[in-house]
Amino acid sequence: MRKAATVQELPGVSQSKKEVRSQAFAWSDLASRLRPYLYLAPALICFALFFFYPIGSIIYLSFQDWSLINLEQMEWVGLQNYQDLMKDGDFHQVLGNTAVFTIATVGVGLTLSFLLALWLNKKAKVYGIIQATVFSPHIISLVSVSMLWMWLMDPQFGLLNAGLEAVGLPAYTWLTDPKSSLLSLIIVSIWKGVGYNTLIFIAGLQSIPGDIYEAAALDQSPWWRTLRRITIPMLSPTIFFLLIINTISSFQAFDTIAIMTQGGPINSTNMLVYYIYEQGMDFYNGGIASAASVILLILVGILTALHFLVMSKRVHYR
Amino acid sequence: MYRVVLASRKTVEWIGLLVVAFLFVFPFLWMASTAFKTMPEVRQFPPTLLPETWEWSNFAQAWESGPFLMFTWNSILVAVGILILQFLTAVPAAYAFARYKFPGRNLLFGLVLIVLMIPGQVIFLPIYVQLSGWGLVNTLWSLILPYAASAFGIFLLRQAFMQVPDEVIEAARLDNASEWKIMWTIMVPMAKPVLVTFGLFSFIYHWNDYFWPLIMTNSDEVRTLPIGISSLHMSDGGTLWNVMMAGNMILILPILVIFFVAQRHIIKAFIYQSK
């Protein structure tokens, strides 16, 4: 990712111009030195305004007591918001829900994707079609996916229960029972995400040089040993990348919760981003919401840093 | 004997493929089927696979349940507006990173990578506060401006620009083409496949987005389709699943059409995120 040395350099223009009017004061030289910064300016100004400044701002806001109703009234309360969060049972549950949701979606989702990738990584056209099919939920709005699954999971008229009843199993109240509500969201999330991960895995599998497998075949290595000794180690950058990306994106879960459960029943599906939204936009606890945002920011920041550290050591992927 | 085993393995594999396809396609087909059913048929047990009577009016009912023409128009304005701004900011930035050497380049590129990796959900509150200070909350600007620059776009285009052979640029310089002109008339056309890829990614992402419009807007004049569709299930007196599914068909059809036409590009766009 950071192979800066391969970047093409560009003394070309400025030098040839210099040769032409070498005597004159080098205005053009100054201009060409400034040029890259000018080209970067629009994008960097946007990032400063809508990324870096807000990051500073959220940290500042987390030490204030404030609400969106009256932004004039801000009061410095130090670590009070964080202490309140630590004491808040609901927030503990939110962290727990987020952890369960993340471990389940990432763990099960990636395992399924890996198996699918091993299976679907073939040249014939059918496999390409199935790959696209599995991928298709990924590009559909989570709004539609959520409403579709609400319909499938409808306790009275939903297809899932109709299916269960047809084979003589008891019906579920998928989303309205605190015991199964989080599981329901996990199912939807895995269904939506598995195709993306599968295709990344396939891209990773295809980048493993074929001669390694030929050598393994010559040694008559059984398939599971080939898998354990060659495929998985060679795929480790992809696996690591997907672990990080999936973990970060499951921290972000919001749309499914907002549409399917609103965090309920009894807080069983409330997760970090939804909690922040609720506190900030519905309950007007700006300080609490900001402190929770900072906690989320730290979690995501650690993952991002890990990603850069490992990836810069092992740039295996392109 | 061996041939029989081979044949049955093939059958098993085909059945497996069908099951997988079914798991991922059927929910959408079920959505489509429900969208055409009458409410009594929706509640029928056992459920019917295809509608007995095709109830086209569900679509009209969904469409007329709110100012959907306005939602659609807003969705188009926002997704296309973001796309144009991202294009205008990403091309020069990517060109600078790909083709110039200057002090601070690695540091600045590092910042872009950080933007790429940290999701906006983490900082929506301060952005809301900031935009409300500028009086922009509940305007289309609040949906467009925060996305005016795309770290992903810069990253993708930079790679494309790096692959343009030096000779092409040298030749243009010998013809006294300005740097600005080289960027827009030589680099951009040569990076067209990547631009298409990025454009699809950006459009789909913002067309589908629910979170940002939900946060930043509170009146119908500036709301987008996903918000309008999501309000369909708030209707009282039992959920009108058929109308809801019809509404969702309206939301996903453009994306599905694009997916059928440009499948390879789209998969590439989303996969590229990893590179």
Side-chain angles (χ1 to χ4, degrees):
Chain A
M1 207 183 255
R2 287 186 176 172
K3 277 188 286 181
T6 63
V7 174
Q8 302 304 323
E9 285 154 28
L10 172 136
V13 157
S14 44
Q15 273 180 7
S16 60
K17 272 188 185 165
K18 236 188 276 174
E19 280 161 24
V20 176
R21 25 181 165 142
S22 53
Q23 309 313 92
F25 176 71
W27 275 112
S28 65
D29 193 44
L30 183 68
S32 72
R33 269 165 198 267
L34 282 179
R35 182 170 283 130
Y37 301 104
L38 285 175
Y39 285 176
L40 287 173
L44 291 179
I45 289 170
C46 289
F47 291 146
L49 282 177
F50 296 109
F51 188 82
F52 291 104
Y53 175 74
I55 283 187
S57 180
I58 194 73
I59 296 168
Y60 172 78
L61 288 170
S62 75
F63 298 121
Q64 310 282 330
D65 186 20
W66 65 279
S67 101
L68 284 175
I69 307 171
N70 188 356
L71 289 170
E72 312 292 298
Q73 272 185 341
M74 283 213 185
E75 192 193 341
W76 177 269
V77 292
L79 288 171
Q80 188 63 45
N81 292 321
Y82 292 94
Q83 285 164 350
D84 288 351
L85 274 180
M86 291 306 135
K87 274 184 270 175
D88 180 10
D90 280 352
F91 185 66
H92 293 175
Q93 200 186 348
V94 165
L95 287 181
N97 291 340
T98 311
V100 171
F101 180 80
T102 300
I103 291 166
T105 52
V106 177
V108 178
L110 283 190
T111 312
L112 283 178
S113 308
F114 181 64
L115 296 175
L116 270 176
L118 288 177
W119 179 26
L120 298 180
N121 181 26
K122 289 172 191 150
K123 286 260 158 60
K125 208 177 174 190
V126 215
Y127 295 94
I129 294 170
I130 303 289
Q131 285 173 22
T133 307
V134 175
F135 181 80
S136 62
H138 187 71
I139 56 155
I140 302 300
S141 173
L142 260 176
V143 170
S144 298
V145 168
S146 304
M147 289 170 98
L148 169 60
W149 278 88
M150 274 175 89
W151 166 223
L152 292 170
M153 288 172 168
D154 183 77
Q156 274 177 290
F157 311 111
L159 199 63
L160 284 186
N161 278 349
L164 287 178
E165 276 170 42
V167 293
L169 287 168
Y172 259 104
T173 48
W174 297 90
L175 291 162
T176 42
D177 182 345
K179 280 184 211 139
S180 58
S181 52
L182 192 57
L183 176 72
S184 305
L185 293 192
I186 289 168
I187 291 172
V188 176
S189 178
I190 290 174
W191 182 80
K192 170 129 168 106
V194 93
Y196 171 78
N197 294 320
T198 302
L199 271 121
I200 302 268
F201 270 132
I202 288 177
L205 285 172
Q206 286 173 354
S207 70
I208 301 176
D211 39 357
I212 304 183
Y213 285 113
E214 277 162 30
L218 278 179
D219 290 345
Q220 293 189 319
S221 156
W223 68 267
W224 50 267
R225 194 195 289 157
T226 311
L227 184 73
R228 209 165 60 86
R229 296 271 174 83
I230 297 175
T231 308
I232 291 177
M234 291 296 282
L235 218 53
S236 60
T238 307
I239 297 171
F240 181 74
F241 166 79
L242 285 176
L243 270 176
I244 301 273
I245 291 295
N246 279 272
T247 308
I248 291 178
S249 78
S250 74
F251 283 169
Q252 286 169 264
F254 177 85
D255 300 14
T256 37
I257 306 171
I259 290 165
M260 299 175 86
T261 64
Q262 281 98 53
I266 52 169
N267 214 31
S268 60
T269 57
N270 201 351
M271 287 178 245
L272 264 171
V273 172
Y274 192 77
Y275 180 83
I276 296 167
Y277 165 81
E278 230 181 8
Q279 291 292 330
M281 314 296 286
D282 285 348
F283 306 153
Y284 299 111
N285 290 328
I288 295 288
S290 314
S293 300
V294 172
I295 290 171
L296 178 58
L297 181 66
I298 291 170
L299 290 174
V300 174
I302 290 171
L303 285 171
T304 302
L306 257 179
H307 185 231
F308 282 141
L309 278 177
V310 175
M311 284 307 181
S312 61
K313 267 187 199 154
R314 278 196 70 179
V315 192
H316 219 280
Y317 68 147
R318 223 160 142 173
Chain B
M1 185 61 201
Y2 182 69
R3 212 177 274 169
V4 174
V5 172
L6 211 67
S8 68
R9 264 192 72 173
K10 251 205 162 144
T11 318
V12 170
E13 177 135 14
W14 272 97
I15 293 172
L17 289 175
L18 281 176
V19 169
V20 171
F22 176 84
L23 281 176
F24 288 90
V25 167
F26 188 76
F28 292 122
L29 295 178
W30 189 241
M31 173 190 261
S33 162
T34 308
F36 286 107
K37 285 177 180 174
T38 60
M39 218 34 215
E41 198 183 346
V42 166
R43 297 208 171 107
Q44 200 171 305
F45 188 87
T48 51
L49 211 56
L50 284 174
E52 277 159 359
T53 46
W54 291 74
E55 190 71 34
W56 285 88
S57 66
N58 293 334
F59 286 87
Q61 202 183 329
W63 186 260
E64 277 152 21
S65 70
F68 271 85
L69 195 64
M70 191 180 272
F71 293 150
T72 310
W73 177 236
N74 289 339
S75 274
I76 294 171
L77 273 184
V78 169
V80 173
I82 288 173
L83 186 62
I84 292 171
L85 282 178
Q86 288 184 340
F87 177 68
L88 292 178
T89 55
V91 166
Y95 187 68
F97 280 130
R99 290 285 166 173
Y100 294 91
K101 199 176 163 129
F102 51 92
R105 187 182 66 185
N106 289 344
L107 175 80
L108 292 176
F109 192 63
L111 292 181
V112 173
L113 292 179
I114 290 176
V115 178
L116 186 65
M117 291 293 292
I118 307 266
Q121 265 90 335
V122 175
I123 45 167
F124 75 88
L125 267 179
I127 296 178
Y128 183 94
V129 171
Q130 193 178 345
L131 288 171
S132 94
W134 298 346
L136 290 180
V137 162
N138 205 35
T139 65
L140 287 180
W141 290 115
S142 66
L143 303 183
I144 296 173
L145 281 182
Y147 294 107
S150 160
F152 173 59
I154 294 173
F155 187 74
L156 208 60
L157 273 177
R158 169 181 163 271
Q159 284 190 312
F161 288 167
M162 276 161 62
Q163 277 158 14
V164 174
D166 289 342
E167 292 79 31
V168 177
I169 297 164
E170 292 302 327
R173 280 181 189 145
L174 284 179
D175 288 346
N176 272 331
S178 72
E179 285 296 291
W180 187 250
K181 201 175 163 197
I182 292 175
M183 179 164 76
W184 291 104
T185 61
I186 296 173
M187 298 301 261
V188 167
M190 290 192 82
K192 207 166 147 198
V194 174
L195 279 168
V196 171
T197 295
F198 168 65
L200 287 167
F201 172 86
S202 171
F203 183 85
I204 293 173
Y205 182 88
H206 294 288
W207 179 269
N208 286 340
D209 191 21
Y210 172 69
F211 182 77
W212 209 255
L214 182 72
I215 304 282
M216 294 297 160
T217 64
N218 53 41
S219 64
D220 282 348
E221 290 80 57
V222 288
R223 296 204 127 161
T224 53
L225 263 181
I227 307 281
I229 301 294
S230 74
S231 65
L232 281 175
H233 82 108
M234 311 301 183
S235 66
D236 25 48
T239 315
L240 298 172
W241 289 112
N242 52 353
V243 178
M244 260 172 73
M245 292 302 115
N248 281 297
M249 294 283 291
I250 297 172
L251 179 62
I252 71 172
L253 263 179
I255 300 297
L256 279 185
V257 169
I258 297 177
F259 187 57
F260 275 118
V261 175
Q263 197 202 93
R264 219 172 277 164
H265 278 293
I266 289 171
I267 291 180
K268 207 162 102 195
F270 282 86
I271 299 309
Y272 246 124
Q273 265 180 302
S274 69
K275 298 203 171 150

